[in-house]
Amino acid sequence: MWYAIVGEDAPGSLDTRLAVRGDHLARLQALMAEGRLLVAGPFPSIDSPDPGPAGFSGSLIVAEFPSLEAAEAWVADDVYVRLGVYARTTVRPFKKALP
């Protein structure tokens, strides 16, 4: 099943986010290689594709996992969670309707 994962950035976490972005992306690329990633990306804090020092307010990931528990475990092991980039995360079942 698909799961929507929303991470909300902690205030002042931009430097950490940028420093460990490669590790975060490697995990997403592994999901993509397995055909389990629908979409992933950050929420810019301002109305710009490159928010610069304004940074990001969080991220959205929609990926396939065998269960809610498996999705939650994957999130808990993400470097953004472990190093405090995300202050909060939410994992919810997602049913793709379109396109």
Side-chain angles (χ1 to χ4, degrees):
M1 178 162 197
W2 294 108
Y3 293 88
I5 300 162
V6 176
E8 297 176 48
D9 282 21
S13 63
L14 180 59
D15 289 343
T16 304
R17 173 189 265 274
L18 296 176
V20 298
R21 184 173 182 262
D23 293 337
H24 175 73
L25 290 179
R27 296 183 82 231
L28 293 171
Q29 289 166 343
L31 288 175
M32 189 169 59
E34 296 169 4
R36 298 172 45 207
L37 183 66
L38 184 63
V39 66
F43 300 120
S45 291
I46 61 174
D47 190 12
S48 172
D50 181 6
F56 301 92
S57 62
S59 304
L60 169 67
I61 300 165
V62 179
E64 187 175 34
F65 293 93
S67 66
L68 178 60
E69 293 79 16
E72 290 172 337
W74 185 91
V75 170
D77 194 40
D78 189 78
V79 67
Y80 281 6
V81 172
R82 290 187 286 113
L83 295 183
V85 172
Y86 293 152
R88 283 175 299 285
T89 57
T90 305
V91 181
R92 298 174 64 180
F94 178 80
K95 185 174 189 263
K96 183 178 181 242
L98 296 171

